[in-house]
Amino acid sequence: MDFKHLVNTRYSVRSYSSQPVEEEKLMLVLEAACKAPSAVNYQPVKFYVIKSPGKLQEIFGCYHRTWFSTAPVVIVVTGLHSIAWKRGSDGKDHTDIDAAIAIDHLTLQAADLGLGTCWICNFDVEKTSKTLGLSSGEEPIALIPLGYPSDENIPVKKRKRLNEMVEWL
Amino acid sequence: MDFKHLVNTRYSVRSYSSQPVEEEKLMLVLEAACKAPSAVNYQPVKFYVIKSPGKLQEIFGCYHRTWFSTAPVVIVVTGLHSIAWKRGSDGKDHTDIDAAIAIDHLTLQAADLGLGTCWICNFDVEKTSKTLGLSSGEEPIALIPLGYPSDENIPVKKRKRLNEMVEWL
């Protein structure tokens, strides 16, 4: 589908069917994420693909919503501060930016394949780091459930009007 | 085009033709950016679309590369820290993440329309803020030149291998 249609198609899916995600589709989603651009091409991002029942139970414990535990796959995206580019003039760390680009690629590729995702940022950071055994320089940025939506009603996007967000100079 | 193809098509364009960007395409690019998701849907992002010759000269002075001054349009994307969501548990500010999602949408929509863009993060932050008259809580995140590429050779993406970035659990 063209990109305009894809943007309108993607929404935050908060209910997943039990239908498994095909390996081929999962690989396409990960490949899109890994092809995302990053500052100076440093790629300071990692993806933890959680599919095993035991590990899924652990990650479900990092964000307590009943709907979250319906996801057949959860991808935890982390940022590596030691690798990320820092701007010379003020030291600004670009980890969050690079991780977000990769996640946006991931969620859009999923939507293009008929799969649902949802950005979860309000998770338990300490518990997630412990569950994955992350070192101190590696920060979990988002938990991304992945699977087929069980609710196929795409909600209408509520967004600010263009003239509230854009200035012409 | 399908999203996999779009991801491979987008690249950092560092040479623009003098062909103007059609108003209709510019609007599509901005609409895609404004439809990007954000934490709690707060949309703490603004877009300054610079097209007038005088303002273009000013913004070209914020990043000194000859190729940058070939762009017919520059979009400066800013993040509004006072509006952005901060996580309750640790206060993490999601401005960078939300701005990056919007910019990723913007650059992908541009590529889908045959337009080129490039993420510029190593710009003069102070000068940019002064040029746009930004208040202290509004941070310029990236300068995005927009236009038709004058070089149509899409470079091969150099990325880490999937197994360097992905762990299976």
Side-chain angles (χ1 to χ4, degrees), chain A residues 21-37:
Chain A
V21 176
E22 298 87 341
E23 199 65 16
E24 189 194 340
K25 289 194 177 183
L26 179 55
M27 292 308 288
L28 284 169
V29 164
L30 293 168
E31 279 163 16
C34 290
K35 283 195 178 161

PDB file of all heavy atoms in Angstrom, chain A residues 21-37:
ATOM      1  N   VAL A  21       2.561 -15.436  14.720  1.00  0.00           N
ATOM      2  CA  VAL A  21       3.177 -14.594  13.688  1.00  0.00           C
ATOM      3  C   VAL A  21       4.109 -15.486  12.872  1.00  0.00           C
ATOM      4  O   VAL A  21       4.974 -16.168  13.431  1.00  0.00           O
ATOM      5  CB  VAL A  21       3.986 -13.451  14.342  1.00  0.00           C
ATOM      6  CG1 VAL A  21       4.715 -12.631  13.286  1.00  0.00           C
ATOM      7  CG2 VAL A  21       3.055 -12.563  15.169  1.00  0.00           C
ATOM      8  N   GLU A  22       3.925 -15.489  11.555  1.00  0.00           N
ATOM      9  CA  GLU A  22       4.773 -16.308  10.686  1.00  0.00           C
ATOM     10  C   GLU A  22       6.230 -15.845  10.788  1.00  0.00           C
ATOM     11  O   GLU A  22       6.504 -14.654  10.814  1.00  0.00           O
ATOM     12  CB  GLU A  22       4.319 -16.189   9.220  1.00  0.00           C
ATOM     13  CG  GLU A  22       2.906 -16.671   8.946  1.00  0.00           C
ATOM     14  CD  GLU A  22       1.837 -15.590   9.169  1.00  0.00           C
ATOM     15  OE1 GLU A  22       2.115 -14.594   9.869  1.00  0.00           O
ATOM     16  OE2 GLU A  22       0.721 -15.783   8.647  1.00  0.00           O
ATOM     17  N   GLU A  23       7.134 -16.826  10.799  1.00  0.00           N
ATOM     18  CA  GLU A  23       8.576 -16.545  10.897  1.00  0.00           C
ATOM     19  C   GLU A  23       9.011 -15.563   9.802  1.00  0.00           C
ATOM     20  O   GLU A  23       9.790 -14.640  10.047  1.00  0.00           O
ATOM     21  CB  GLU A  23       9.334 -17.873  10.752  1.00  0.00           C
ATOM     22  CG  GLU A  23      10.758 -17.841  11.270  1.00  0.00           C
ATOM     23  CD  GLU A  23      10.844 -17.624  12.781  1.00  0.00           C
ATOM     24  OE1 GLU A  23       9.835 -17.788  13.490  1.00  0.00           O
ATOM     25  OE2 GLU A  23      11.937 -17.215  13.235  1.00  0.00           O
ATOM     26  N   GLU A  24       8.486 -15.755   8.597  1.00  0.00           N
ATOM     27  CA  GLU A  24       8.880 -14.904   7.470  1.00  0.00           C
ATOM     28  C   GLU A  24       8.491 -13.442   7.714  1.00  0.00           C
ATOM     29  O   GLU A  24       9.262 -12.522   7.426  1.00  0.00           O
ATOM     30  CB  GLU A  24       8.174 -15.424   6.206  1.00  0.00           C
ATOM     31  CG  GLU A  24       8.658 -14.780   4.933  1.00  0.00           C
ATOM     32  CD  GLU A  24       7.709 -15.074   3.763  1.00  0.00           C
ATOM     33  OE1 GLU A  24       6.922 -16.043   3.852  1.00  0.00           O
ATOM     34  OE2 GLU A  24       7.763 -14.295   2.780  1.00  0.00           O
ATOM     35  N   LYS A  25       7.300 -13.241   8.268  1.00  0.00           N
ATOM     36  CA  LYS A  25       6.851 -11.869   8.550  1.00  0.00           C
ATOM     37  C   LYS A  25       7.662 -11.250   9.689  1.00  0.00           C
ATOM     38  O   LYS A  25       8.024 -10.068   9.641  1.00  0.00           O
ATOM     39  CB  LYS A  25       5.347 -11.851   8.884  1.00  0.00           C
ATOM     40  CG  LYS A  25       4.467 -12.127   7.669  1.00  0.00           C
ATOM     41  CD  LYS A  25       3.012 -11.772   7.935  1.00  0.00           C
ATOM     42  CE  LYS A  25       2.154 -11.973   6.692  1.00  0.00           C
ATOM     43  NZ  LYS A  25       0.743 -11.578   6.894  1.00  0.00           N
ATOM     44  N   LEU A  26       7.944 -12.056  10.704  1.00  0.00           N
ATOM     45  CA  LEU A  26       8.752 -11.566  11.823  1.00  0.00           C
ATOM     46  C   LEU A  26      10.122 -11.111  11.318  1.00  0.00           C
ATOM     47  O   LEU A  26      10.643 -10.062  11.722  1.00  0.00           O
ATOM     48  CB  LEU A  26       8.882 -12.668  12.883  1.00  0.00           C
ATOM     49  CG  LEU A  26       9.708 -12.350  14.125  1.00  0.00           C
ATOM     50  CD1 LEU A  26       9.229 -11.091  14.836  1.00  0.00           C
ATOM     51  CD2 LEU A  26       9.669 -13.533  15.105  1.00  0.00           C
ATOM     52  N   MET A  27      10.696 -11.893  10.402  1.00  0.00           N
ATOM     53  CA  MET A  27      12.010 -11.527   9.853  1.00  0.00           C
ATOM     54  C   MET A  27      11.930 -10.229   9.048  1.00  0.00           C
ATOM     55  O   MET A  27      12.833  -9.393   9.118  1.00  0.00           O
ATOM     56  CB  MET A  27      12.555 -12.664   8.978  1.00  0.00           C
ATOM     57  CG  MET A  27      12.920 -13.928   9.743  1.00  0.00           C
ATOM     58  SD  MET A  27      14.024 -13.646  11.156  1.00  0.00           S
ATOM     59  CE  MET A  27      15.556 -13.287  10.300  1.00  0.00           C
ATOM     60  N   LEU A  28      10.862 -10.051   8.291  1.00  0.00           N
ATOM     61  CA  LEU A  28      10.697  -8.800   7.520  1.00  0.00           C
ATOM     62  C   LEU A  28      10.601  -7.588   8.448  1.00  0.00           C
ATOM     63  O   LEU A  28      11.178  -6.529   8.173  1.00  0.00           O
ATOM     64  CB  LEU A  28       9.442  -8.884   6.637  1.00  0.00           C
ATOM     65  CG  LEU A  28       9.571  -9.733   5.372  1.00  0.00           C
ATOM     66  CD1 LEU A  28       8.196  -9.967   4.736  1.00  0.00           C
ATOM     67  CD2 LEU A  28      10.499  -9.060   4.354  1.00  0.00           C
ATOM     68  N   VAL A  29       9.883  -7.768   9.544  1.00  0.00           N
ATOM     69  CA  VAL A  29       9.737  -6.685  10.528  1.00  0.00           C
ATOM     70  C   VAL A  29      11.102  -6.324  11.125  1.00  0.00           C
ATOM     71  O   VAL A  29      11.464  -5.147  11.230  1.00  0.00           O
ATOM     72  CB  VAL A  29       8.731  -7.116  11.624  1.00  0.00           C
ATOM     73  CG1 VAL A  29       8.823  -6.228  12.854  1.00  0.00           C
ATOM     74  CG2 VAL A  29       7.309  -7.120  11.062  1.00  0.00           C
ATOM     75  N   LEU A  30      11.874  -7.332  11.475  1.00  0.00           N
ATOM     76  CA  LEU A  30      13.199  -7.084  12.076  1.00  0.00           C
ATOM     77  C   LEU A  30      14.161  -6.477  11.051  1.00  0.00           C
ATOM     78  O   LEU A  30      14.962  -5.600  11.365  1.00  0.00           O
ATOM     79  CB  LEU A  30      13.776  -8.391  12.646  1.00  0.00           C
ATOM     80  CG  LEU A  30      13.015  -8.948  13.854  1.00  0.00           C
ATOM     81  CD1 LEU A  30      13.479 -10.369  14.162  1.00  0.00           C
ATOM     82  CD2 LEU A  30      13.191  -8.052  15.082  1.00  0.00           C
ATOM     83  N   GLU A  31      14.067  -6.960   9.809  1.00  0.00           N
ATOM     84  CA  GLU A  31      14.949  -6.408   8.765  1.00  0.00           C
ATOM     85  C   GLU A  31      14.669  -4.924   8.524  1.00  0.00           C
ATOM     86  O   GLU A  31      15.602  -4.141   8.355  1.00  0.00           O
ATOM     87  CB  GLU A  31      14.779  -7.201   7.456  1.00  0.00           C
ATOM     88  CG  GLU A  31      15.588  -8.495   7.461  1.00  0.00           C
ATOM     89  CD  GLU A  31      15.135  -9.479   6.398  1.00  0.00           C
ATOM     90  OE1 GLU A  31      14.402  -9.079   5.463  1.00  0.00           O
ATOM     91  OE2 GLU A  31      15.492 -10.673   6.510  1.00  0.00           O
ATOM     92  N   ALA A  32      13.403  -4.548   8.501  1.00  0.00           N
ATOM     93  CA  ALA A  32      13.064  -3.128   8.323  1.00  0.00           C
ATOM     94  C   ALA A  32      13.638  -2.304   9.473  1.00  0.00           C
ATOM     95  O   ALA A  32      14.202  -1.230   9.265  1.00  0.00           O
ATOM     96  CB  ALA A  32      11.548  -2.952   8.246  1.00  0.00           C
ATOM     97  N   ALA A  33      13.504  -2.832  10.690  1.00  0.00           N
ATOM     98  CA  ALA A  33      14.011  -2.109  11.866  1.00  0.00           C
ATOM     99  C   ALA A  33      15.529  -1.949  11.783  1.00  0.00           C
ATOM    100  O   ALA A  33      16.074  -0.886  12.101  1.00  0.00           O
ATOM    101  CB  ALA A  33      13.614  -2.848  13.144  1.00  0.00           C
ATOM    102  N   CYS A  34      16.202  -2.993  11.356  1.00  0.00           N
ATOM    103  CA  CYS A  34      17.675  -2.958  11.280  1.00  0.00           C
ATOM    104  C   CYS A  34      18.169  -2.081  10.126  1.00  0.00           C
ATOM    105  O   CYS A  34      19.334  -1.692  10.106  1.00  0.00           O
ATOM    106  CB  CYS A  34      18.243  -4.368  11.145  1.00  0.00           C
ATOM    107  SG  CYS A  34      18.065  -5.346  12.648  1.00  0.00           S
ATOM    108  N   LYS A  35      17.311  -1.795   9.174  1.00  0.00           N
ATOM    109  CA  LYS A  35      17.710  -0.929   8.048  1.00  0.00           C
ATOM    110  C   LYS A  35      17.421   0.549   8.312  1.00  0.00           C
ATOM    111  O   LYS A  35      17.684   1.395   7.460  1.00  0.00           O
ATOM    112  CB  LYS A  35      17.009  -1.380   6.770  1.00  0.00           C
ATOM    113  CG  LYS A  35      17.667  -2.624   6.188  1.00  0.00           C
ATOM    114  CD  LYS A  35      17.257  -2.873   4.772  1.00  0.00           C
ATOM    115  CE  LYS A  35      17.971  -4.098   4.213  1.00  0.00           C
ATOM    116  NZ  LYS A  35      17.285  -4.643   3.035  1.00  0.00           N
ATOM    117  N   ALA A  36      16.867   0.853   9.468  1.00  0.00           N
ATOM    118  CA  ALA A  36      16.570   2.254   9.792  1.00  0.00           C
ATOM    119  C   ALA A  36      17.862   3.056   9.851  1.00  0.00           C
ATOM    120  O   ALA A  36      18.906   2.533  10.235  1.00  0.00           O
ATOM    121  CB  ALA A  36      15.844   2.319  11.135  1.00  0.00           C
ATOM    122  N   PRO A  37      17.784   4.335   9.465  1.00  0.00           N
ATOM    123  CA  PRO A  37      18.986   5.165   9.589  1.00  0.00           C
ATOM    124  C   PRO A  37      19.267   5.491  11.063  1.00  0.00           C
ATOM    125  O   PRO A  37      18.381   5.385  11.908  1.00  0.00           O
ATOM    126  CB  PRO A  37      18.605   6.435   8.820  1.00  0.00           C
ATOM    127  CG  PRO A  37      17.111   6.506   8.910  1.00  0.00           C
ATOM    128  CD  PRO A  37      16.634   5.074   8.928  1.00  0.00           C
TER     129      PRO A  37
END
